[in-house]
């Protein structure tokens, strides 16, 4: 059984620009995975020799994307990751909220993995 967790990352970029990097195969390929392919709502994330498939289940322009991981037979799992853009109306600060799942003993490692990936995203955005 995996545990759901959330992490917040302040990002110096407009929600519109950030959305392009979290919602498109080309954007995701620049920071999230070595390569990302999509066939409609189905995305394949490639890291080295490893490949994971996910279904895009929620997409709201300039706000969020949610991918549900698929089994090898393409059946949906209970696990997903969501990337949500939060804009503070007063300060105009942009935060990227990450929701993911991990085994209890792997949450620290998974958080570190996200920290590294978001650092790559910030470099791509020129806000590192």
């Amino acid at each position: 059984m995996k545990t759901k967790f959330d992490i917040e990352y302040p990002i110096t970029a407009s929600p519109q620009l950030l959305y392009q990097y979290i919602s498109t195969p080309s954007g995701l390929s620049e920071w999230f995975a070595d390569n990302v392919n999509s066939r409609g709502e189905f995305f394949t994330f490639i890291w080295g020799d490893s490949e994971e498939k996910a279904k895009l289940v929620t997409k709201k322009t300039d706000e969020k994307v949610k991918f549900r991981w698929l089994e090898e037979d393409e059946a949906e799992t209970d696990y997903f990751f969501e990337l949500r853009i939060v804009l503070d109306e007063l300060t105009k600060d942009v935060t990227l909220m990450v929701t993911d799942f991990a085994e209890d003993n792997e949450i620290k490692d998974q958080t570190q993995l996200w920290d590294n990936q978001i650092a790559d995203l910030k470099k791509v955005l020129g806000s590192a």
Side-chain angles (χ1 to χ4, degrees), residues 39-91:
R39 200 175 69 250
E41 62 197 9
F42 294 96
F43 282 63
T44 303
F45 298 95
I46 301 161
W47 295 273
D49 295 335
S50 172
E51 194 175 283
E52 296 288 333
K53 292 187 187 308
K55 179 180 180 184
L56 179 62
V57 291
T58 306
K59 183 176 185 177
K60 192 163 182 193
T61 303
D62 299 341
E63 284 188 33
K64 70 178 177 179
V65 290
K66 179 176 173 180
F67 293 94
R68 184 167 303 280
W69 292 112
L70 301 175
E71 300 284 351
E72 290 200 12
D73 64 0
E74 301 209 346
E76 291 185 28
T77 68
D78 293 336
Y79 305 113
F80 64 86
F81 71 97
E82 181 178 67
L83 303 170
R84 204 166 62 249
I85 301 167
V86 179
L87 176 65
D88 184 304
E89 291 299 326
L90 287 175
T91 64

